[in-house]
């Protein structure tokens, strides 16, 4: 009988944010898979480490880490082959995923390749914006508010349209686009309502009012939270 692939959200960085279900599933699966850069250690594996018992078959899935690229099809193809080999042998696989497996994650590309032949189950995880909102004490949305999660890689016109259309926004994938996001929020009169969060749940986490973020390039693990009313409960 074929094994089951479990896509397990490990959250944004704090090992204590893994769910009970995630921890139980990691313990139960004989194979532990995780995304890893082409060279170096896997952040997802480091986050989960306190919950990984000894004796696992460990399977790194090497993927290019570059937020400006489309999914690296060859790498996902190779990863799916490696996972299928374990599943075909009847072994369940716990595949660690940063944040939530179905929220801007690499898991969805592997799921698409494997779900036609194998049982695939997603176990939700805490998203980066949920952890950032908790760190900031920032209520994301209330009552009839609309919420948009906006990749900063979009063009200025599209970002401005989404700013205008929504009460609450989360900006991801800031990188070299951070200066543009700051300028667009300034043009919309929302600078004072915005917060910058970096590495939420990880060592070196940082929270700033957007007006105090005096730099133009942000690291990969960063985002901006903004609410049109400044506070959702107003």
């Amino acid at each position: 009988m074929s094994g089951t692939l479990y896509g397990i959200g490990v959250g944004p960085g704090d090992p204590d944010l893994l769910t009970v279900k995630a921890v139980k599933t990691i313990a139960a699966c004989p194979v532990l898979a995780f995304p890893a850069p082409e060279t170096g250690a896997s952040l997802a594996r480091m986050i989960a480490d306190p919950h990984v018992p000894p004796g696992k078959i460990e399977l790194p899935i090497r993927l290019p880490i570059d937020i400006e690229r489309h999914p690296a099809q060859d790498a996902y193809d190779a990863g799916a082959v490696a996972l299928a080999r374990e599943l075909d042998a009847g072994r369940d696989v716990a595949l660690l995923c940063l944040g939530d497996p179905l929220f801007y994650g690499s898991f969805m590309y592997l799921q698409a390749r494997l779900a036609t032949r194998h049982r695939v189950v997603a176990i939700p995880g805490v998203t980066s914006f949920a952890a950032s909102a908790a760190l900031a004490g920032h209520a994301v949305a209330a009552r009839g508010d609309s919420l948009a999660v906006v990749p900063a890689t979009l063009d200025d016109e599209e970002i401005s349209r989404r700013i205008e259309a929504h009460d609450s926004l989360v900006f991801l994938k800031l990188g070299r686009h951070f200066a543009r996001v700051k300028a667009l929020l300034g043009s919309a009169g929302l600078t004072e309502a915005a917060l910058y969060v970096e590495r939420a749940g990880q060592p070196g986490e940082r929270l700033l009012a957007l007006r105090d973020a005096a730099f133009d390039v942000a690291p990969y693990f960063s985002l901006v939270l903004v609410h049109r009313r400044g506070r959702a409960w107003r």
Side-chain angles (χ1 to χ4, degrees):
M1 181 179 359
S2 175
T4 297
L5 175 65
Y6 296 92
I8 298 176
V10 299
D14 183 348
D16 288 344
L17 290 179
L18 270 74
T19 66
V20 172
K21 187 170 186 178
V23 172
K24 287 181 177 179
T25 304
I26 290 169
C29 290
V31 180
L32 183 72
F34 43 86
E38 292 169 298
T39 59
S42 163
L43 178 58
R45 177 63 180 82
M46 289 189 285
I47 293 169
D49 187 66
H51 307 294
V52 178
K56 299 291 182 187
I57 300 169
E58 299 210 10
L59 180 63
I61 306 296
R62 298 287 176 182
L63 300 171
I65 306 300
D66 186 343
I67 63 173
E68 301 298 335
R69 294 179 58 178
H70 292 291
Q73 303 301 331
D74 291 346
Y76 290 123
D77 288 344
V81 169
L83 291 167
R85 189 177 299 120
E86 300 297 332
L87 297 169
D88 287 337
R91 290 186 282 270
D92 292 341
V93 179
L95 173 59
L96 307 180
C97 311
L98 289 173
D100 180 272
L102 296 175
F103 182 75
Y104 289 106
S106 57
F107 171 73
M108 68 184 76
Y109 305 110
L110 296 165
Q111 177 190 41
R113 287 161 169 78
L114 293 166
T116 57
R117 293 194 302 116
H118 301 281
R119 181 171 179 254
V120 179
V121 176
I123 297 178
V126 174
T127 63
S128 58
F129 76 83
S132 296
L135 173 65
H138 173 86
V140 175
R143 299 186 296 276
D145 287 345
S146 61
L147 167 67
V149 179
V150 184
T153 51
L154 298 174
D155 62 41
D156 287 5
E157 182 178 356
E158 182 59 23
I159 290 176
S160 295
R161 188 188 71 79
R162 298 191 190 193
I163 290 173
E164 179 64 26
H166 297 281
D167 304 288
S168 181
L169 301 110
V170 177
F171 289 92
L172 303 178
K173 305 182 182 182
L174 297 175
R176 62 183 176 83
H177 305 285
F178 186 40
R180 288 198 303 118
V181 170
K182 288 193 292 182
L184 291 166
L185 288 171
S187 296
L190 292 173
T191 297
E192 295 301 313
L195 298 169
Y196 170 83
V197 185
E198 182 178 306
R199 302 184 187 279
Q202 299 179 33
E205 68 182 8
R206 183 161 63 148
L207 168 65
L208 297 172
L210 186 64
R211 64 176 178 274
D212 296 329
F215 45 90
D216 291 337
V217 178
Y220 180 80
F221 295 105
S222 62
L223 54 78
V224 168
L225 301 169
V226 58
H227 195 284
R228 187 168 298 282
R229 297 190 300 278
R231 297 288 185 269
W233 57 83
R234 287 180 178 166

